[in-house]
Amino acid sequence: QVQLVESGGGLVQPGGSLRLSCAASGFEFSDYWMYWIRQAPGKGLEWVSGISGGGGRTNYDESVKGRFTISRDNAKNTLILQMNSLKPEDTAMYYCATKRSFTKTTTQQNYDFWGQGTQVTVSS
């Protein structure tokens, strides 16, 4: 049974940091690209970042480039998103998702597996 379980969200002040984790199980983790996608209240899905199966290739949306860092630990089947210099516009539900190939799609059905999400709120 495939599971993607996100954690690490919470309330943080502007300029603060959070570290999101996604624990994966039930599939060959290192064979898949891993992604972070977010959804702000009342808005559609927004692709945030992706990392290749081996971790050697990363991609970021322009809105988070230089502030967020995606990484993975294939020995622990874990995906990480380190978020620094957070802004109120980063407030969203953050989902981890996976697909064998690289994509920037914002259609949930185009991903192989999808987590339940963790809420990030940036507010003073």
Side-chain angles (χ1 to χ4, degrees):
Q1 179 183 358
V2 172
Q3 282 194 311
L4 294 173
V5 181
E6 300 93 334
S7 61
L11 174 64
V12 63
Q13 292 186 340
S17 298
L18 280 175
R19 187 172 186 262
L20 305 185
S21 296
C22 173
S25 60
F27 65 101
E28 194 58 47
F29 184 70
S30 60
D31 285 350
Y32 286 75
W33 279 78
M34 295 297 297
Y35 300 92
W36 289 100
I37 296 102
R38 67 186 180 185
Q39 187 168 27
K43 296 189 176 181
L45 293 171
E46 179 184 18
W47 186 95
V48 175
S49 183
I51 186 168
S52 61
R57 287 175 287 171
T58 58
N59 281 271
Y60 299 92
D61 185 78
E62 285 297 324
S63 64
V64 306
K65 197 172 289 185
R67 300 188 298 120
F68 290 11
T69 302
I70 191 171
S71 62
R72 64 191 296 161
D73 184 340
N74 285 350
K76 296 182 178 179
N77 285 6
T78 300
L79 175 71
I80 301 294
L81 186 68
Q82 178 66 44
M83 305 188 296
N84 300 328
S85 303
L86 282 161
K87 305 175 180 179
E89 52 263 43
D90 294 318
T91 295
M93 183 71 78
Y94 283 72
Y95 300 95
C96 73
T98 182
K99 189 174 175 66
R100 282 191 180 271
S101 57
F102 176 72
T103 185
K104 284 192 171 184
T105 184
T106 55
T107 302
Q108 182 176 347
Q109 293 87 339
N110 288 346
Y111 290 89
D112 294 320
F113 309 117
W114 190 274
Q116 87 290 346
T118 186
Q119 178 67 40
V120 171
T121 302
V122 185
S123 175
S124 55

